Amino acid sequence: MAAPPPLPPLHVGVLTGGGDCPGLNAVIRAVTLALRHEAGARVTGIERGFRGLLDGRARELHEADVAGILCEGGTVLGSDNTCDPFHTADGSDRSAAALAFARSLGLDALVVIGGDGTMAIAHRFHQAGLPVVGVPKTIDNDLAHTERTFGFDSAVAVVAQALERLATTARSHGRVMIAETMGRYAGWIALEGGMAGGADVILLPEVPFTVAAVAARCRARAQAGRSTLVCIAEGAHAAGQGLSVSATLQGSPDPLRLGGVAAVLQAALQPLLDCEVRHTVLGHTQRGGTPTAFDRVLATRFGYHAAQLVQQRQWGRMVALQADTCVSVPLGDVAGRTRRVPPGHALVQAARGLGLSLGDA
Ligand code: F6P
């Protein structure tokens, strides 16, 4: 009997969804190089996230297309955080058109790199019959079932350096300097950034604060001749108060944009203190620029593991880091969940043990 004809090479799509994040290009590079090197696969980049599936925007990726992008911030494919093909801006479901485009390209699989919103959409495409593998990204480090996401280390490094710089003004002028970090509903960036940058007060979404407690700490430090550095997460809030919302983005799967809590805290603290209180919002500086070496390596490990899952035809799964090992978890277990800082987390305990204030009683 004649041997069966060889299978045609795999053709794999890759897209980046949601906000940009240091390390996205490192994943695109690793997925492309590993699939081409190990499986002789064709790789096609879908441009501007899921929007590219609706707009028919895709381009083939070769080794030359991913050369030199390891250290670049952002994403060479472009991204989009307002397009959900299952629920577009006008309320219609255009997922069939997105699937038809993927099929017209002849894709055997799609590697989706993104945060929880993107993973939820990826899960729905998987359920609709598109073979999908997910790769977790977010500076917020808040995805369920993975102890790290790439981009987080880079954001923490930015926060730490910003705090160091703010500390010189705090000391020179005897001021209270407040830095507001990103992180949505999770305090990971503020916690690790605050610890790395030498903050005296760290305010997290998971630990509601009182203005009185923060003011008392600032006063005590001022009486001892010391300035105060406060690191506050954008999702932090005073006990009994709501979140500070800066905008509502129509059409986004996650429309609320947080921001402004540092200004609120500054206004509340100033009348209670004799020294000047100032605030700085670090904003998108935390998401921009080149990834740290740690994030380049993590993103490369994730991209390589995603390529392995594709070759093993393990669809509907997301790469995850558990006990510092790359594993995979069902997309359905990740979609719509977030991982927040447990109030008893070891680093929270360490902060308290060092005498830092978390703004609670
Ligand atoms: O999820 C990443 C993140 O940077 C959050 O920390 C922040 O709240 C949000 O995205 C900001 O999104 P955008 O760039 O759409 O304003």
Side-chain angles (χ1 to χ4, degrees), residues 282-305:
L282 301 180
H284 290 84
T285 60
Q286 296 157 94
R287 255 174 41 189
T290 183
T292 58
F294 178 90
D295 276 338
R296 292 176 204 180
V297 172
L298 183 61
T300 301
R301 289 175 70 191
F302 278 5
Y304 175 67
H305 199 75

Side-chain angles (χ1 to χ4, degrees), residues 6-338:
L7 290 172
L10 276 168
H11 186 184
V12 182
V14 55
L15 67 78
T16 50
D20 68 334
C21 172
L24 284 169
N25 285 326
V27 181
I28 295 168
R29 171 181 174 271
V31 167
T32 304
L33 293 182
L35 282 172
R36 288 182 63 77
H37 179 71
E38 289 190 339
R42 279 180 71 195
V43 180
T44 290
I46 311 294
E47 297 173 350
R48 301 196 71 88
F50 290 112
R51 191 172 294 283
L53 289 178
L54 295 179
D55 295 349
R57 294 180 56 158
R59 65 175 194 269
E60 194 156 343
L61 298 175
H62 298 95
E63 285 77 0
D65 299 301
V66 297
I69 68 170
L70 171 67
C71 322
E72 266 181 40
T75 160
V76 292
L77 292 176
S79 194
D80 183 283
N81 61 0
T82 55
C83 179
D84 175 355
F86 291 90
H87 190 84
T88 56
D90 64 7
S92 61
D93 179 349
R94 296 188 57 208
S95 56
L99 281 168
F101 179 65
R103 289 192 180 118
S104 76
L105 290 174
L107 295 185
D108 298 302
L110 184 64
V111 174
V112 175
I113 312 165
D116 59 344
T118 304
M119 289 306 135
I121 299 170
H123 183 229
R124 292 194 70 182
F125 272 119
H126 169 68
Q127 289 174 318
L130 183 67
V132 171
V133 166
V135 179
K137 75 87 220 191
T138 169
I139 63 165
D140 303 338
N141 201 34
D142 64 347
L143 257 76
H145 301 296
T146 183
E147 59 206 27
R148 280 272 160 165
T149 51
F150 65 86
F152 173 64
D153 188 67
S154 304
V156 165
V158 171
V159 173
Q161 203 202 36
L163 286 171
E164 266 173 64
R165 289 173 182 273
L166 292 170
T168 60
T169 302
R171 281 197 295 269
S172 305
H173 293 266
R175 286 179 181 162
V176 172
M177 299 294 280
I178 306 171
E180 178 178 311
T181 73
M182 281 187 164
R184 295 198 306 177
Y185 310 105
W188 296 107
I189 297 177
L191 177 61
E192 287 211 9
M195 290 299 275
D200 308 299
V201 178
I202 299 179
L203 304 176
L204 309 175
E206 295 86 352
V207 184
F209 64 88
T210 69
V211 173
V214 178
R217 176 53 59 98
C218 296
R219 259 195 312 270
R221 291 182 61 82
Q223 276 159 14
R226 299 164 80 190
S227 56
T228 304
L229 209 46
V230 181
C231 184
I232 184 167
E234 62 182 1
H237 54 93
Q241 302 287 305
L243 294 166
S244 296
V245 175
S246 64
T248 304
L249 217 65
Q250 295 307 334
S252 167
D254 179 16
L256 287 192
R257 291 295 174 273
L258 302 182
V261 69
V264 171
L265 179 62
Q266 177 187 347
L269 277 179
Q270 190 60 85
L272 306 177
L273 301 175
D274 294 330
C275 64
E276 234 183 304
V277 184
R278 296 289 185 91
H279 81 272
T280 303
V281 179
L282 301 180
H284 290 84
T285 60
Q286 296 157 94
R287 255 174 41 189
T290 183
T292 58
F294 178 90
D295 276 338
R296 292 176 204 180
V297 172
L298 183 61
T300 301
R301 289 175 70 191
F302 278 5
Y304 175 67
H305 199 75
Q308 297 290 298
L309 294 175
V310 168
Q311 291 177 72
Q312 294 158 7
R313 272 67 170 174
Q314 291 202 42
W315 312 129
R317 302 189 72 80
M318 184 191 81
V319 177
L321 192 73
Q322 294 179 358
D324 199 30
T325 302
C326 280
V327 297
S328 72
V329 296
L331 276 171
D333 289 0
V334 179
R337 304 220 176 121
T338 49

